[in-house]
Amino acid sequence: MAQSVIEALLKSKIGLDANSIGADAIASAISQRMADCGITDIANYLGKLQASTQEWEALIDSVIVPETWFFREPESFVFLKHYVLSEWLPANPQGVLRVLSVPCATGEEPYSIAIALLEAGLNPIKIHIDAVDISKKCLLKAQRAIYNQYSFRSNSQSFQEGYFQPTEAGYHLSEEVKCMVNFINGNLADPAFLADRPLYDIVFCRNLLIYFDLTTKDRTIQVLERLLRPEGLLFVGQAEAWLLLKTQLVSVRQYSVVAHRKSTAGENVRKNHPNLQRQDFIGKNIDVLNRRQLPKKTHSKFAAPERLNVAPQNPISPKELKVNLLEIARALADQGRLNEAVKLCNDYLNQNQVSTEAYLLLGQVQQAMALNERAAQSFQKAIYLQPTHEEALTHLALLKEHQGDADSANLLWQRIYRLTKNR
């Protein structure tokens, strides 16, 4: 009972969905904090937690796992430099580039951003980087800027030699880069997050939304939209892109990069967004499916989809409906109708047992439903069918990280790195 209350507190205060990391992980964190406090009864620990801000912060530090390293997903930083040099700088020759990294964890991401911008040739006085995290412990480590070799996986020795000084304590980051980042303690799940700050040209918020419950996901995305300038860029994690389909954010078509641009007009979003273009075509298929395929008892569980005015003289043949079954499943998932999407994925797989894309979509939907073990199995089946499928490998690597299986995740990241290196 007391653990359920603590899980509810974590959900209300920081938006953490207990299913995203598992009740066992939360129980382990609670047990460790109880031992550190010399408390043996969980009800007594709950009382201390509610009375002590310091203990609350300590529990957060025990629950969150800052998995990060320098230049993680290097294609994002390559694209960052390209965007700044080809678009932002010509349009703002005298401006200051404003960048936000949230959550910044122990600092590897914002410092990577700073280094990438320096290597692009920008003057440090023309760069402003804010880095925010809810953990004061992580921020202290980030401000020290001393790292061990684990923070440099997937990077060459020359990278370390260029910006770090090896010492007995670890690798010290150069003062030039340290001075470029402004660290802030804050909670992105707070609707008033950074409300008093100027807008940002670029926001990195990768692999955080997957830990939130649906309500906090929606609220956080609204905050991220508010923080971005028109035409600004948002970088998110591979497993989070689907959450942005019904926003002002338009997917940037760049291989291996999960970035979205803030549009200034809804008309442009529909015109340029490939997923919305797809939904214009398959919306009528969803209507047909609602009438003919789905059991009536499922209708009450989901909000009705937005209906399009489809002329009755344009019926959809059974053959066409079969061909588009996977696209309909994807659209239902986009609308939040996850149980229905799973059913259609399975129906599709009954007819197409070697479809990599179907297993990938099924895994994404299962992960959104917090069915992590099933999602892992689906991603593994996709990888079995296509061992070089980078998106499936990335989803599985992220999922293994969230489950605390660092060894498996690292093997997958090494595999992904070899694929990108050999392209």
Side-chain angles (χ1 to χ4, degrees):
M1 178 64 179
Q3 178 169 334
S4 298
V5 175
I6 293 173
E7 290 178 3
L9 284 172
L10 288 167
K11 183 175 181 178
S12 66
K13 290 180 179 292
I14 65 174
L16 177 67
D17 181 0
N19 292 323
S20 67
I21 63 173
D24 289 345
I26 293 178
S28 176
I30 293 172
S31 295
Q32 183 60 56
R33 288 308 310 153
M34 289 174 60
D36 292 344
C37 296
I39 296 175
T40 56
D41 183 79
I42 191 171
N44 292 338
Y45 176 71
L46 175 59
K48 179 176 179 63
L49 186 64
Q50 293 172 315
S52 170
T53 300
Q54 289 182 333
E55 184 52 36
W56 174 249
E57 292 174 352
L59 178 62
I60 290 176
D61 285 333
S62 298
V63 168
I64 62 175
V65 180
E67 182 69 14
T68 184
W69 59 89
F70 284 99
F71 288 94
R72 181 179 182 178
E73 298 175 15
E75 295 86 357
S76 297
F77 297 95
V78 173
F79 181 69
L80 169 67
K81 291 191 284 186
H82 171 76
Y83 165 77
V84 169
L85 293 177
S86 64
E87 293 191 41
W88 184 86
L89 191 58
N92 303 273
Q94 304 302 321
V96 174
L97 181 71
R98 290 183 51 79
V99 185
L100 173 65
S101 170
V102 56
C104 67
T106 47
E108 286 91 333
E109 180 176 86
Y111 287 140
S112 295
I113 294 169
I115 292 170
L117 295 175
L118 286 177
E119 293 186 337
L122 268 67
N123 190 321
I125 66 173
K126 296 294 184 180
I127 303 169
H128 179 95
I129 302 173
D130 284 333
V132 186
D133 202 275
I134 196 171
S135 170
K136 292 181 179 179
K137 181 179 178 181
C138 284
L139 290 175
L140 286 173
K141 183 173 180 179
Q143 289 168 324
R144 288 181 65 227
I146 302 174
Y147 298 95
N148 59 31
Q149 190 61 44
Y150 194 64
S151 292
F152 299 93
R153 56 202 129 140
S154 301
N155 290 288
S156 66
Q157 189 67 30
S158 61
F159 164 76
Q160 292 172 252
E161 293 173 355
Y163 295 95
F164 292 83
Q165 178 65 39
T167 68
E168 291 185 2
Y171 292 87
H172 284 241
L173 180 63
S174 71
E175 287 298 322
E176 178 188 23
V177 178
K178 281 180 64 176
C179 293
M180 293 175 62
V181 180
N182 173 44
F183 288 101
I184 303 168
N185 180 231
N187 181 4
L188 182 56
D190 182 353
F193 178 74
L194 299 185
D196 58 341
R197 302 270 172 165
L199 300 181
Y200 294 92
D201 300 288
I202 298 167
V203 174
F204 277 74
C205 182
R206 302 189 292 177
N207 306 314
L208 173 67
L209 299 176
I210 48 178
Y211 291 107
F212 289 160
D213 63 276
L214 287 175
T215 300
T216 307
K217 281 183 172 75
D218 291 340
R219 186 170 67 241
T220 302
I221 290 170
Q222 292 175 14
V223 171
L224 293 171
E225 286 186 279
R226 169 175 60 76
L227 292 172
L228 267 179
R229 295 185 189 277
E231 301 302 322
L233 283 184
L234 170 65
F235 291 85
V236 296
Q238 291 273 0
E240 299 165 325
W242 70 275
L243 295 167
L244 306 179
L245 290 175
K246 294 184 178 181
T247 68
Q248 301 177 60
L249 302 166
V250 182
S251 178
V252 174
R253 298 185 181 185
Q254 183 76 13
Y255 187 68
S256 296
V257 175
V258 187
H260 292 71
R261 187 191 302 273
K262 183 176 180 179
S263 175
T264 55
E267 189 77 21
N268 291 335
V269 173
R270 178 161 293 279
K271 179 179 179 182
N272 297 317
H273 201 306
N275 291 295
L276 291 179
Q277 287 179 331
R278 182 181 65 228
Q279 285 194 24
D280 281 345
F281 171 70
I282 64 179
K284 52 188 176 182
N285 282 15
I286 296 176
D287 278 350
V288 170
L289 201 65
N290 284 333
R291 294 195 299 272
R292 304 179 190 173
Q293 299 280 329
L294 295 176
K296 290 183 179 180
K297 65 180 181 179
T298 65
H299 292 175
S300 62
K301 293 184 179 180
F302 304 94
E306 181 181 350
R307 305 276 175 147
L308 300 177
N309 293 323
V310 181
Q313 64 266 31
N314 294 324
I316 298 176
S317 69
K319 181 179 179 181
E320 184 181 6
L321 185 60
K322 179 179 177 181
V323 170
N324 295 317
L325 201 60
L326 188 59
E327 289 297 291
I328 298 171
R330 185 173 284 110
L332 288 170
D334 293 345
Q335 295 173 356
R337 299 167 64 178
L338 303 181
N339 284 351
E340 296 172 69
V342 166
K343 181 182 183 303
L344 287 194
C345 284
N346 286 322
D347 288 347
Y348 185 89
L349 284 166
N350 286 336
Q351 304 168 22
N352 306 270
Q353 297 179 1
V354 292
S355 173
T356 303
E357 294 305 316
Y359 279 117
L360 175 63
L361 176 60
L362 179 60
Q364 290 173 302
V365 177
Q366 289 167 330
Q367 189 173 8
M369 298 171 71
L371 302 173
N372 290 336
E373 291 300 328
R374 295 184 188 178
Q377 293 173 6
S378 296
F379 293 142
Q380 286 165 348
K381 289 177 181 178
I383 295 166
Y384 175 79
L385 292 170
Q386 187 176 337
T388 60
H389 198 292
E390 189 174 331
E391 188 174 359
L393 287 165
T394 301
H395 278 297
L396 185 58
L398 289 169
L399 186 55
K400 291 297 183 182
E401 285 183 2
H402 305 154
Q403 294 176 321
D405 188 353
D407 291 339
S408 296
N410 286 336
L411 289 173
L412 288 163
W413 286 123
Q414 291 171 19
R415 189 168 169 182
I416 293 166
Y417 175 69
R418 287 194 296 270
L419 287 174
T420 57
K421 185 178 181 180
N422 294 330
R423 277 205 298 264

